[in-house]
Amino acid sequence: MENLIFGLGVMLIGLLVVFVGLIILIGFIKILTMVTSHLSGEKKKASAPAPATEPVKAPVAAPAQPEGVPAEVIAAITAAIASVWEGETGFVVRHVKRITNASVWNRAGREEQTYSRF
């Protein structure tokens, strides 16, 4: 019985140490992000004011018919990029090139990168 109480005490102390360490780590990260955002805010204030810009319009797919890629495919690619795009500036798909003569290792790497995000 004495060993059980001693083990529970050690477990409790271990849990407290871990959680206190995590709380300190979270506080340190929050302080660090506040300091870096404050420093980057000062740099932005020190620079010349940016000219007013228009709101970003919907991206326009450029025609890429010489490669034989249908317009629907280009529209789908552009829509996929627009759904993932997080920047404030717009973009235009200027060229779509189908890769058919890629090596086996190249295709395997591309598939691994594609399927690892699901």
Side-chain angles (χ1 to χ4, degrees), residues 30-117:
K30 289 206 181 267
I31 290 171
L32 191 61
T33 55
M34 287 181 357
V35 168
T36 56
S37 66
H38 180 66
L39 291 177
S40 65
E42 287 179 359
K43 289 180 183 177
K44 288 181 182 177
K45 290 178 184 177
S47 65
T53 59
E54 298 178 6
V56 178
K57 297 179 182 177
V60 178
Q65 292 300 326
E67 291 291 322
V69 179
E72 295 86 17
V73 173
I74 294 174
I77 292 171
T78 305
I81 294 171
S83 68
V84 177
W85 189 263
E86 294 181 1
E88 294 182 13
T89 59
F91 68 92
V92 176
V93 175
R94 299 195 191 282
H95 184 71
V96 176
K97 181 179 176 184
R98 185 179 306 266
I99 301 174
T100 56
N101 59 352
S103 69
V104 176
W105 290 108
N106 192 347
R107 281 186 284 153
R110 191 175 325 115
E111 288 176 7
E112 180 182 342
Q113 288 294 320
T114 302
Y115 296 135
S116 68
R117 298 206 168 104

